[in-house]
Amino acid sequence: MVSFKQALDFVFGQTNEQKLKKLLPLVEEVNAWSEKVKGASDAELAAKTDEFKARLAEGETLDDLLPEAFAVVREAAKRTIGLYPYDVQVLGGIVLHQRRIAEMKTGEGKTLVATMPAYLNALVGKVHVVTVNDYLARRDRHWMGPVYEFLGLKVGLIQEGMPPEERKAAYQCDITYGTNAQFGFDYLRDHMVVSEDQKVQGPLDYAIIDEIDYILIDEARTPLIISGPTKETARMFKEFARIARLFKEGEDFEVDEEHRRLTLTDQGIAKAEKILKFENLFDPRATLALHHLETALRARVFFKRDRDYIVKDGRVIIVDEFTGRLMPDRRYSGGLHQAIEAKEGLTIQRESQTLAQITLQHYFRLYKGLAGMTGTAKTEETEFKEIYGLDVVQIPTNRPLIRQQLPDVIYRTKKAKFEAVADEVARLHKEGRPVLIGTTSIEDSEQLSKLLKRRKLPHQVLNAKHHEREAQIVAQAGRLGAITIATNMAGRGTDILLGGNPEFRARQEADPKEEPEKYKELLEKYKKEAEEERAKIVRKAEPNSPYAKRCLAQIKKWCQETGRPFRPEEWKDGLYEGGLHVIGCQRHEARRIDDQLAGRAGRQGDPGSAQFFMSLEDDLLRVFGGERIGELMDRLGVKEGEPITHDLLTRAIRRAQKRVEERNFEIRKRLLEYDEVMAKQREAIYALRERFLLPAEGKPPDVEGLMGYLSEMIEEYAELLTERYAPPGSTPEAWDLPGLAKALARLSEPAPGVEELSQAERWEGLVEKVKETLQAQLHRQRERLSPHFPIVARLVLLRVVDESWRQHLLELDDLKEVIGWRAYGGRDPLVEFKREAHRLFQEMLLRAEEEALQFLLSPKLSVKAAPPPEAAPVGVGKRAKKPSPPKKEGSKSKVKVKAKVGRNDPCPCGSGKKYKYCCGRNK
Ligand code: ADP
């Protein structure tokens, strides 16, 4: 029975406090077990894994085991890596086990949190721990590995460039660390292989995603793509770039910046019709030209060099709008990238064709269980809930957060803003406080760097290019007087310790394994130095100062959250101020990104502060509310170079951000609906090709199943074929029997002649005759090509399915481009897209069936043993890189199909092209 309370929770949702309250008893249980396992010997502790597995086999559930298992991991972590998870970390671990999102602030130790649910879930399936870059995957695997290994579990690591055998081994471990891209690409590659043995990944049981907001929200618009080369039309892009220059904003087209929309005016339409030589621009035949024109205009109006992209070595490189990171592997889709290249007068890069693609959201939805952690999820709670069914729980910090958020300051111009930031940095530097300055673009980082140089301030600039090296630098960003400029992603996942990180420093001079003595000595030395530096960075706060009062208010709130009594006396005398100061050079569209930046300061109860500097020229203010603030400044008589600042303004800006967030959510939701169509089709195709894969070594080949499948295909195809020459239900006068006889002769030997066919009196009888003929041919083929037929059939089916799917992807891409323009006709493009996509998919399946049967039934089909065929070159991401072709093929697959193929048949060389365009070209 559902209680009233539960029903109400369902309607209104629970407050975070309510969620925590429910979880606290579980933490108590873990604590009770923790006391009990303290006395266990190492061996007793390690034996727990087998005991748990046995108990699971007897019917206990993971939830039953949780308290004890978490306690065991806790103890193992203490004994191996010297970290004993705090209560709040246990709490986070429980949330992850419950397939929810744990929001935990920076520095709270999320890496360790993941070990508890990872261990528990590895008792029943495979666990993937997903990080944002290779460096972090490697770091976390090596850092946390000993905990799992102590308990008898195997831990694997996936890194870019690893060969398939190593990947396979890593996936066979109980727990595997890797990045989202590696996991996603392996999934795609696993669905491009021909035999069971070539798959690497294994089941998708349970994943814990670190920085889940980055993966599921910021990366929402960028799919993982495996691609190969295709034809290019460089000249066309150049031509449209030239034409676009003839169009004037305000006259020929209008721009809606808020929605990033661009519309042709009547004058513009007339102009386009004249230049493109179309009588009516909205004629279906003109859609493509119109699309290219629009793309060329968008490339000019919305995409700014050094903001949205940079030009480097003759290439256009995308700058991630959220993080300012360079994305050399990515290309804008739908011809936009080429349009930008054309605009910049660069060589048009050869466009590549998509062979397989998946968005990260769809990939992660394939897991049976999904959980995530991040410092910032609350602002996007609705999105996580609505789209992924993931609930967000905010975990209280281990120690109270006393970071001071200073009110925003707004300048009139960007220039004045950056000067002010540089002055502020100089002021703080004099006090010895470490400063971290966050920018949203490389351009801004460089501009600021120049200003700091002019003031002779030593500093570091990070662009999220070299994860490992930047992690080293960020780790030292908390040293006395350190100045660090970083884009959002730079050094993500690395903790900033006040006074610096002694371990990082010691490790730079001595390898702890090779020179343990020297390392230890250095570590002690740097630890002392860090302590001394820290003492200079923080200072005791006046107990009754306004600062102390603010801190106490924050501490009171923390006590409430964690269910502790609040006694000001306990805290009053131990308050510190100073610490790391964070300056944001712009407020971002999403509050979440700002919070991530500010969250770098004030970790684990440290003092710290953060402030954002803005200008009316910033994107956010240009679009939202900047004008009103400008008017206000006029009225107050604020001069150039002078800022205004007020809590009310800060709040108004947060409101503007909320509006943008909501708009972006709507856009993502809409895009997701488009992706949904492709996702469903992809799942259907992958399920289909799964049935055709060559069985793994040692597994029985399911020949009867395969024959049954082919026989069903024939039933369907026979009707289709007959219909071409004899409309369904028609009488013999309407039949083109010579045509049908000819078609059958290509598919079967012997085949019925006109005379034999004409014996059928009704249409159904004719179909029956065709079916019989083809079924008989199928069995003849099986005999004739024995024992190779099943393998040949599987290979042919796979090749045809893959090639058809590849072409279908291309068609879907085109459809997506074109469909937008149907909105002109007042129709809902999404509905149109779904309908069209469905139709194309059905057609594709029929064509594939026909192609496969024509090949397999062909009397000319012959087989001879030969070395395995090479896979066609494909690229991963957008880079034209050759991944290793499938290394090992089952000996059974060493068969080459040789037939006098028809010119329209798929080429037997495996290129996927039609024979006449491939090896048959000169014949
Ligand atoms: P996050 O990813 O949440 O920012 P990390 O996993 O990088 O945090 O950990 C931050 C720091 O906290 C690390 O230096 C780690 O050693 C330390 N830490 C984490 N958990 C504990 C713990 N239970 N006890 C002591 N130190 C811890």
Side-chain angles (χ1 to χ4, degrees), residues 324-341:
R325 201 160 58 126
L326 292 183
M327 316 281 266
D329 294 348
R330 297 257 160 81
R331 287 173 66 82
Y332 293 113
S333 63
L336 182 59
H337 212 93
Q338 295 95 312
I340 294 173
E341 286 164 344

Side-chain angles (χ1 to χ4, degrees), residues 83-86 89 105-112 143 493 495:
L83 298 177
Y84 189 73
Y86 306 122
Q89 290 179 307
K105 300 271 169 290
T106 315
E108 289 294 304
K110 291 186 274 294
T111 321
L112 183 61
W143 189 9
D495 216 15

Side-chain angles (χ1 to χ4, degrees), residues 559-731:
C559 285
Q560 280 164 353
E561 275 172 13
T562 48
R564 256 172 259 235
F566 170 61
R567 293 190 204 90
E569 322 71 65
E570 274 176 31
W571 302 93
K572 228 161 115 184
D573 292 327
L575 290 174
Y576 285 86
E577 45 185 330
L580 178 70
H581 183 71
V582 170
I583 298 178
C585 289
Q586 196 176 91
R587 277 220 179 254
H588 196 274
E589 279 191 356
R591 289 170 294 170
R592 198 164 37 84
I593 309 275
D594 294 343
D595 295 344
Q596 276 161 13
L597 179 62
R600 295 284 184 108
R603 57 166 302 278
Q604 287 285 342
D606 280 345
S609 47
Q611 186 164 35
F612 285 86
F613 283 63
M614 275 177 286
S615 86
L616 296 183
E617 292 171 349
D618 292 355
D619 289 343
L620 185 71
L621 289 189
R622 262 191 323 113
V623 182
F624 294 97
E627 255 168 49
R628 288 203 355 238
I629 300 173
E631 282 163 19
L632 184 69
M633 285 174 130
D634 288 342
R635 247 184 294 141
L636 296 173
V638 180
K639 289 192 210 74
E640 163 86 48
E642 270 180 32
I644 61 168
T645 173
H646 197 285
D647 280 341
L648 277 177
L649 274 180
T650 307
R651 253 178 277 160
I653 288 161
R654 293 293 264 194
R655 268 200 307 276
Q657 287 178 304
K658 233 171 137 171
R659 267 178 61 201
V660 188
E661 283 167 16
E662 278 158 16
R663 188 198 68 188
N664 285 340
F665 175 33
E666 286 309 316
I667 295 175
R668 282 193 295 268
K669 217 157 89 177
R670 188 115 183 119
L671 283 175
L672 208 64
E673 286 187 61
Y674 277 93
D675 293 342
E676 205 70 36
V677 177
M678 190 191 288
K680 286 219 180 84
Q681 297 183 349
R682 180 182 48 238
E683 275 165 40
I685 286 290
Y686 282 3
L688 185 66
R689 81 187 300 293
E690 202 74 353
R691 306 170 57 164
F692 303 149
L693 287 182
L694 299 180
E697 201 80 72
K699 278 223 196 123
D702 178 16
V703 179
E704 290 320 309
L706 176 75
M707 291 306 285
Y709 189 83
L710 286 171
S711 165
E712 271 171 42
M713 265 169 74
I714 286 179
E715 294 289 300
E716 233 178 75
Y717 177 59
E719 284 191 22
L720 189 82
L721 185 68
T722 314
E723 277 175 24
R724 285 213 191 114
Y725 302 94
S730 60
T731 45

Side-chain angles (χ1 to χ4, degrees), residues 678-909:
M678 190 191 288
K680 286 219 180 84
Q681 297 183 349
R682 180 182 48 238
E683 275 165 40
I685 286 290
Y686 282 3
L688 185 66
R689 81 187 300 293
E690 202 74 353
R691 306 170 57 164
F692 303 149
L693 287 182
L694 299 180
E697 201 80 72
K699 278 223 196 123
D702 178 16
V703 179
E704 290 320 309
L706 176 75
M707 291 306 285
Y709 189 83
L710 286 171
S711 165
E712 271 171 42
M713 265 169 74
I714 286 179
E715 294 289 300
E716 233 178 75
Y717 177 59
E719 284 191 22
L720 189 82
L721 185 68
T722 314
E723 277 175 24
R724 285 213 191 114
Y725 302 94
S730 60
T731 45
E733 307 80 73
W735 298 350
D736 170 13
L737 291 183
L740 183 58
K742 222 161 135 195
L744 284 175
R746 277 198 298 271
L747 288 163
S748 177
E749 199 180 290
V754 175
E755 207 158 306
E756 195 182 337
L757 288 174
S758 65
Q759 281 164 12
E761 283 166 15
R762 295 188 2 215
W763 187 78
E764 287 73 16
L766 189 63
V767 174
E768 223 24 68
K769 188 78 217 155
V770 174
K771 281 183 184 169
E772 268 166 36
T773 310
L774 298 184
Q775 298 286 15
Q777 175 69 4
L778 174 65
H779 290 282
R780 266 196 301 277
Q781 291 287 76
R782 181 181 171 181
E783 303 267 293
R784 189 164 69 81
L785 302 178
S786 173
H788 300 305
F789 185 75
I791 295 166
V792 173
R794 285 177 189 277
L795 289 176
V796 167
L797 285 165
L798 283 173
R799 194 163 293 149
V800 169
V801 166
D802 289 349
E803 171 58 17
S804 307
W805 174 239
R806 196 146 66 176
Q807 277 176 3
H808 181 68
L809 282 178
L810 212 62
E811 283 179 17
L812 281 187
D813 267 355
D814 288 347
L815 181 64
K816 228 186 278 175
E817 307 299 333
V818 167
I819 215 91
W821 297 100
R822 300 226 175 147
Y824 275 103
R827 283 181 277 186
D828 178 355
L830 182 62
V831 175
E832 288 289 302
F833 179 74
K834 280 187 183 161
R835 190 181 14 235
E836 279 294 290
H838 181 73
R839 189 182 58 79
L840 289 174
F841 188 65
Q842 296 302 330
E843 281 178 15
M844 180 269 282
L845 288 180
L846 279 179
R847 263 201 322 271
E849 233 172 57
E850 171 157 27
E851 231 174 274
L853 284 177
Q854 279 180 349
F855 203 94
L856 283 178
L857 297 181
S858 168
K860 292 167 193 151
L861 182 68
S862 74
V863 166
K864 79 168 196 206
E870 287 275 307
V874 288
V876 167
K878 286 278 187 171
R879 233 176 304 166
K881 184 176 70 180
K882 275 194 204 173
S884 36
K887 283 261 155 57
K888 254 194 262 152
E889 291 203 38
S891 53
K892 292 174 259 114
S893 68
K894 287 181 185 166
V895 163
K896 197 164 181 182
V897 181
K898 197 168 167 277
K900 290 249 171 55
V901 277
R903 289 176 49 73
N904 281 317
D905 288 338
C907 186
C909 80

Side-chain angles (χ1 to χ4, degrees), residues 23-36 63-64 66-68 71 74 90 94:
L23 296 169
L24 288 177
L26 258 178
V27 178
E28 289 313 315
E29 275 188 65
V30 177
N31 282 338
W33 273 108
S34 301
E35 287 305 315
K36 281 189 218 164
D63 289 341
D64 297 336
L66 186 144
E68 192 180 349
R74 217 179 188 186
V90 170
I94 296 172

